[in-house]
Amino acid sequence: MKLFLYIITLILMLISTYAALIYAPTETIMGNIQRIFYFHMGTVWVATIAFMIVFVASIIYLINGKKKWDVLAYTSAEIGVLFITLTIITGSIWAKPVWGTWWTWDPQLTTTFILWILYIVYLLIRANSGFDEKKAKYSAVFAIIAFIDLPLVYISARVMRGISPVVFGPGGGGIEPKMLNALLITLVSFTLLFILLLIERIKIENLKYQINKLIYTENN
Amino acid sequence: MNTLAAILWKDIINELRTKEIVLSMAAFSIVLVVIFNFSLVINNDNIGYLVPSLLWISIIFVGTLGLSRTFAIEKENSAITGILLSPIDRSMLYLSKVISNLIYILITQFLLLFLFVVLFNININGEVGLLIIVMILGAIGFSTLGTLFSTMAINTKLRELLLPVILFPVIIPVIINAVRATSIIFNGGGYAEISPYLKILICFDIIFLVTSALVYEFVVEES
């Protein structure tokens, strides 16, 4: 089953690379640089799913206290931080030629930046809270607060600046069908990649737990 | 309600006898204002924009100092064990701590405001009532999450060091809106201009007061 998932993910990643770099038509205004957009969307998509999982798993952990939910929240947060970092990097590479700057403090970018910091802090709390159960509870509490905080950060940044460029949605204009195809296949392949990473990461975490238990019984 | 008042009264009595938290916060405030005075060139052009951000930066720095202290007192002689052993609701403990933190922050906040107004010669434009509302709403937002996170931080390996790191990113909405509203007041705006910021501040305060009160039991149990 897992081998099947590996193969499917590999094939889809190759197809999405082809779709983004060759199949999709070149954007008339931005040119080839727009192609990074597919990967940009893919990474931000994965990060969004990952942080939602962290939020839900944290709530469930606080309710029933089962370790597997904490492991899910932790591993998902780690992958989320990786992908949000990639989002910021690809976004900056795209923004330099198009907007003429690596970074601006518009509401979306501000929120992404705060999101990135919040989940790095989440990992920091995990690294410094001592033993297992306390670590799990503290980080779950922080994950819930951080997730609720994000809409407020977005609203505040929006009210403060008063402007926001809309890429999609009402007023953002349509999208070329071939571009949409490329985007969708990228989203699917990135989602599969995320699931794969998550499964592997949870396995590593469980192995780590078993080793620690063995060391503990050995020492006593 | 009785338990809330009892814990609150204990904290206030303790503070009135030692005066350690409010005094050190006040001293730090004065030092900060003096440093700002020497390190920045403030003139009539930038005063209305610079001073609100300096004011709120000072408030969160001084406030963080006080926050890490209020729970550290309970750790001395394991006083917290006594409170946790008594059959009281954890959210009551949380609310009483929020109120005592709020009192300390409000005292230093108005001291800082006074210092800034007098030493930098700021014109409040007659909107004293509005300014006080902004100050209070900001202080509530700061102390709700501050109380929750200071309880967390004090129980970790890094202790007080972790508090600013986890608190500052989360209270960014408070900072943005409070600084904006204060800045508008200093530049002669009225209620109509600052009402969106006030609304977001009120939302923030309510959301996090409720959420923190709900999750507080998971944080305080471990000490």
Side-chain angles (χ1 to χ4, degrees):
Chain A
M1 181 59 204
K2 203 151 101 193
L3 186 71
F4 181 68
L5 185 63
Y6 265 108
I7 294 167
I8 289 282
T9 312
L10 180 67
I11 293 170
L12 274 175
M13 286 303 282
L14 289 174
I15 294 176
S16 66
T17 312
Y18 172 79
L21 295 182
I22 297 160
Y23 167 77
T26 310
E27 221 269 347
T28 41
I29 302 164
M30 298 179 220
N32 274 327
I33 186 68
Q34 187 266 341
R35 292 176 190 281
I36 202 171
F37 191 70
Y38 301 106
F39 302 111
H40 182 61
M41 284 298 278
T43 50
V44 79
W45 170 261
V46 170
T48 314
I49 299 175
F51 293 139
M52 275 181 189
I53 291 177
V54 178
F55 178 61
V56 175
S58 297
I59 292 178
I60 299 175
Y61 176 77
L62 284 186
I63 292 170
N64 69 12
K66 292 216 173 85
K67 197 183 152 52
K68 65 176 179 187
W69 293 105
D70 174 52
V71 171
L72 178 64
Y74 171 47
T75 50
S76 190
E78 234 181 42
I79 299 169
V81 167
L82 171 67
F83 276 86
I84 201 78
T85 312
L86 289 174
T87 306
I88 292 175
I89 293 172
T90 51
S92 286
I93 294 172
W94 174 82
K96 183 62 183 167
V98 177
W99 290 349
T101 171
W102 297 109
W103 186 263
T104 68
W105 287 103
D106 90 334
Q108 280 172 15
L109 269 68
T110 309
T111 314
T112 313
F113 189 69
I114 304 295
L115 176 80
W116 184 62
I117 292 182
L118 282 175
Y119 284 91
I120 287 175
V121 169
Y122 173 91
L123 296 180
L124 200 68
I125 292 176
R126 288 204 72 99
N128 289 298
S129 306
F131 62 93
D132 261 1
E133 202 185 324
K134 188 160 100 181
K135 184 163 78 180
K137 275 185 181 171
Y138 282 13
S139 47
V141 165
F142 185 80
I144 293 169
I145 298 282
F147 197 83
I148 299 173
D149 194 47
L150 285 169
L152 285 162
V153 172
Y154 182 73
I155 295 168
S156 305
R158 215 183 150 116
V159 170
M160 185 178 77
R161 289 273 175 257
I163 43 109
S164 168
V166 179
V167 182
F168 289 119
I175 183 167
E176 168 87 6
K178 274 188 168 179
M179 285 182 173
L180 187 65
N181 291 344
L183 184 61
L184 289 177
I185 190 114
T186 318
L187 292 189
V188 172
S189 62
F190 269 74
T191 312
L192 285 181
L193 179 67
F194 168 67
I195 295 169
L196 199 63
L197 285 174
L198 194 62
I199 291 173
E200 289 296 324
R201 190 64 188 80
I202 289 175
K203 204 174 90 185
I204 294 173
E205 199 60 24
N206 286 336
L207 285 174
K208 210 155 93 184
Y209 179 67
Q210 279 173 17
I211 290 172
N212 279 338
K213 216 160 71 178
L214 282 177
I215 294 172
Y216 183 77
T217 41
E218 197 78 3
N219 287 344
N220 289 285
Chain B
M1 228 42 210
N2 263 339
T3 50
L4 198 153
I7 302 173
L8 186 61
W9 187 236
K10 169 199 77 76
D11 279 354
I12 291 172
I13 289 276
N14 192 10
E15 179 56 28
L16 282 175
R17 283 181 189 153
T18 59
K19 298 178 191 69
E20 54 180 11
I21 297 175
V22 171
L23 271 185
S24 47
M25 282 167 91
F28 187 33
S29 311
I30 296 168
V31 172
L32 268 179
V33 176
V34 171
I35 289 173
F36 284 144
N37 183 43
F38 288 130
S39 57
L40 291 163
V41 181
I42 297 179
N43 51 38
N44 277 332
D45 296 333
N46 61 16
I47 193 161
Y49 299 96
L50 211 51
V51 169
S53 46
L54 290 182
L55 175 65
W56 281 98
I57 290 171
S58 317
I59 290 171
I60 59 168
F61 278 13
V62 178
T64 312
L65 194 74
L67 283 176
S68 45
R69 208 39 222 158
T70 45
F71 216 82
I73 293 176
E74 302 289 357
K75 294 281 268 189
E76 274 169 29
N77 305 325
S78 301
I80 186 68
T81 319
I83 295 179
L84 290 179
L85 279 174
S86 55
I88 53 167
D89 196 350
R90 300 291 182 251
S91 49
M92 281 296 144
L93 174 62
Y94 169 72
L95 284 180
S96 70
K97 285 286 170 195
V98 169
I99 296 171
S100 55
N101 276 328
L102 188 62
I103 293 170
Y104 303 148
I105 291 166
L106 282 175
I107 292 172
T108 44
Q109 214 174 22
F110 287 108
L111 173 71
L112 274 166
L113 182 65
F114 174 78
L115 287 172
F116 272 104
V117 167
V118 171
L119 296 178
F120 292 98
N121 200 13
I122 291 169
N123 184 12
I124 304 182
N125 301 312
E127 299 283 10
V128 183
L130 268 185
L131 192 58
I132 289 176
I133 293 173
V134 173
M135 292 296 221
I136 292 175
L137 287 176
I140 294 174
F142 183 77
S143 50
T144 50
L145 283 176
T147 308
L148 178 72
F149 287 157
S150 71
T151 314
M152 259 165 77
I154 205 84
N155 289 318
T156 61
K157 266 189 292 185
L158 293 179
R159 297 192 178 269
E160 286 89 351
L161 196 61
L162 194 65
L163 178 61
V165 180
I166 60 180
L167 181 59
F168 288 3
V170 185
I171 55 161
I172 280 173
V174 175
I175 307 296
I176 292 177
N177 293 296
V179 169
R180 280 279 145 169
T182 316
S183 166
I184 289 171
I185 292 172
F186 284 178
N187 288 304
Y191 174 75
E193 284 94 342
I194 67 165
S195 70
Y197 305 107
L198 283 184
K199 283 172 194 160
I200 299 176
L201 276 177
I202 293 170
C203 287
F204 187 97
D205 292 356
I206 295 172
I207 291 172
F208 284 111
L209 194 61
V210 176
T211 326
S212 309
L214 284 175
V215 295
Y216 196 66
E217 58 175 302
F218 300 108
V219 172
V220 78
E221 219 86 69
E222 300 298 324
S223 41

